[in-house]
Amino acid sequence: MSGNALIVGAGPGLSASLARTLAKEGYRVSLAARSPGKLEGLCAETGAKAHACNAADAASVARLFQDLDEAGATPDLVVYNASGRVRGPVAELNLEDVHAALDVTAFGALAVAHEAAKRMVPKGKGVMLFTGASAGIKGFPQSAPFAMGKFALRGLCQSLARELSPQNIHVVHFVIDGVIYNPDRGAPYDDPDKTLHPDAIARTYLEISRQDKSAWTSELELRPSVEKF
């Protein structure tokens, strides 16, 4: 057994690949989502346990970690994969929807880091991995809310890394620069030659989580070989 892992914002795609990868490596995997019922198949496949959690609600996040503590599954490795996205011309945005998206993408990441740090700092070890996007490096037209959330996430990760690395807690921000392969969604997600494969991303997350502390990565960009940047 490698330890306990928690994936927040679990679902199909990258989260599912992460769950499979971590389970194969001996982790006891916990999955958190607003609708845990959708994870039954993945849980049956990986032995993971699903938990209901609204990442944008600090009280819900606190209950999640308390439940994990009581189950003996306090995470040694946390992956934050939750994200909210609202698109459209800035003059036409529904600001309530924008607020909700920012709560998931940015505030939720802080809430999870807050609970994880309370448990990792006393132990003097732990890993926190956060899924970012190219929108956290540059803002695109009609995507202001997503850029705001991902820029905030990146800033959070930089702050966490500088604070927690000296305490032996490895914090990593991943810039996913490109479309993740998902044939069920059609073009452009169904082209394996132009998309990132979620299994490959998951393997990279695992490798980075195992780095020796003498040479830690705090941010990593992943993109298909054909992606322009």
Side-chain angles (χ1 to χ4, degrees):
M1 182 71 69
S2 294
N4 299 319
L6 168 64
I7 301 171
V8 179
L14 177 55
S15 293
S17 290
L18 286 165
R20 295 185 188 102
T21 298
L22 293 170
K24 287 178 181 177
E25 293 298 317
Y27 277 93
R28 179 182 180 182
V29 179
S30 298
L31 306 173
R34 288 192 181 190
S35 303
K38 66 183 180 182
L39 302 172
E40 290 180 359
L42 184 59
C43 289
E45 177 186 351
T46 62
K49 184 174 181 181
H51 300 263
C53 178
N54 176 2
D57 182 350
S60 180
V61 173
R63 285 194 299 272
L64 167 65
F65 276 81
Q66 290 166 4
D67 290 343
L68 295 176
D69 292 341
E70 293 172 2
T74 304
D76 309 293
L77 185 156
V78 172
V79 179
Y80 192 79
N81 202 42
S83 183
R85 188 164 189 168
V86 177
R87 290 185 58 84
V90 65
E92 299 175 13
L93 292 172
N94 181 312
L95 296 187
E96 290 185 1
D97 291 343
V98 172
H99 198 295
L102 293 176
D103 280 348
V104 173
T105 305
F107 179 77
L110 174 61
V112 169
H114 171 72
E115 294 296 333
K118 288 198 294 186
R119 290 153 175 85
M120 293 178 179
V121 169
K123 294 180 180 179
K125 61 179 181 179
V127 179
M128 299 186 201
L129 310 177
F130 298 84
T131 301
S134 48
I137 306 296
K138 54 185 176 181
F140 294 92
Q142 298 193 17
S143 190
F146 194 53
M148 291 169 67
K150 289 301 185 181
F151 263 82
L153 177 69
R154 189 179 186 217
L156 168 66
C157 291
Q158 290 181 0
S159 181
L160 292 175
R162 291 185 170 99
E163 175 184 347
L164 299 177
S165 290
Q167 300 180 67
N168 200 35
I169 298 170
H170 192 185
V171 178
V172 188
H173 175 247
F174 292 86
V175 179
I176 307 302
D177 186 14
V179 172
I180 296 178
Y181 178 68
N182 184 344
D184 295 336
R185 296 185 65 182
Y189 305 92
D190 60 353
D191 189 341
D193 295 325
K194 297 181 179 180
T195 55
L196 296 108
H197 199 288
D199 290 347
I201 300 173
R203 287 194 296 270
T204 301
Y205 275 45
L206 177 65
E207 292 166 4
I208 294 298
S209 75
R210 292 176 166 176
Q211 285 181 321
D212 186 89
K213 66 180 181 180
S214 68
W216 270 356
T217 295
S218 60
E219 182 171 81
L220 186 69
E221 295 186 4
L222 297 175
R223 63 176 62 87
S225 60
V226 297
E227 185 76 18
K228 296 180 180 180
F229 63 98

